[in-house]
Amino acid sequence: FTEIVQRTYYFTTMARSYYDECSYLEQVSNCSYRIKKGFVPNMNVEGLFYVNDVLHKLMYDELQHHCASRGVGGFLPAVKQIANVASLPGIVGRSVGLPDVHSGYGFAIGNMAAFDMGNPEAVVSPGGVGFDINCGVRLVRTNLFEKDVSPIKEQLAQSLFDHIPVGVGSRGVIPMNAKDLEEALEMGMDWSLREGYAWAEDKEHCEEYGRMLQADPSKVSQRAKKRGLPQLGTLGAGNHYAEIQVVDEIYDDLAAAKMGVEEKGQVCIMIHSGSRGLGHQVATDALVEMEKAMKRDKIHVNDRQLACARITSPEGENYLKAMASAANYAWVNRSSMTFLTRQAFAKAFDSTPDDLDMHIIYDVSHNIAKVEEHISSLPSPLPPP
């Protein structure tokens, strides 16, 4: 079957005690916990989350605080959000919280869910993707070592600041007009390659090869395009960063060698950013339309932040096309910052990016929805206890 995978009205019930709430949570291994049906109303599948000792305490402390306040004020605990996602129409398998799980918007951060596209009731929810569509991380290697960078690390950091605009509302230095934006939204990294801002091999190391083919820029609002036009090649604010990193430990010599990571002390650059104001507006626009669709199609959810639409509805299809366009923008954005980073390093070391071996190791998205095909609709077994 084909399913759509997403990575991020709470019905008022009589508040349960923390002890009673914990009775719905069952440890199934040293790092995984099952959320049983009944934890929140209308669960179609169970929940499952993976945590270490530190995150375990955070998850349970959130729940205890929520119970003590009887659910009034504050944010919804991540464990409740995972369960609310398990209540969405058309979900299959389980609602899963990955090891970075914490409270988010509708979906918990690190919450993944799959929906059967063969089920006419199945939905897509922008809360599962988030506002920064295709926020992701890109790792670029170099042939430099810590001893090479340390003497000029202040100058190098300043060079990165000079090349890559940062902060809320920052404006990019990559030239772009309205026609360029339309093409970038459709072409993704193919646009960057054509314009000379990416190397041909860069695409080989990016999820989806840096381009989602179902993108349709006509489904992106003019307001979203207006916000995105001046921001190409900008980092943004919040938890986004362009960071010079040093390899601290190598756990698999063979895999590291294939990635061009030779030994401890090697310098890499990690870029963490997404689709900026354009992606935020795409999500905002979709939420407005989906609230209308929910009333029309009589879709009920546990949390209004899980506003959604049938995947096959006009609202669902339009969102997926607009989301893919925003995802393409994010890949172009990270490619533009990679180009600027290569220039900054070349200037600082009086060399060329090629001579510095500044190749991409990976570019992975963590705010995205994708269509995938799987052999069976049966959930995989839970981990052994």
Side-chain angles (χ1 to χ4, degrees), residues 139-151 153 156 241-251 261-270 345 349 361:
L139 186 64
V140 180
R141 71 176 188 238
T142 74
N143 55 16
L144 299 167
F145 288 84
E146 189 173 9
K147 61 181 175 59
D148 302 315
V149 170
S150 291
K153 61 182 179 182
L156 187 57
Y241 57 81
E243 189 172 85
I244 301 169
Q245 301 180 342
V246 176
V247 175
D248 216 23
E249 192 62 68
I250 295 177
Y251 297 95
V261 178
E262 299 172 357
E263 57 185 278
K264 291 189 286 187
Q266 186 171 342
V267 171
C268 297
I269 305 99
M270 181 170 281
F345 267 71
F349 289 97
I361 294 178

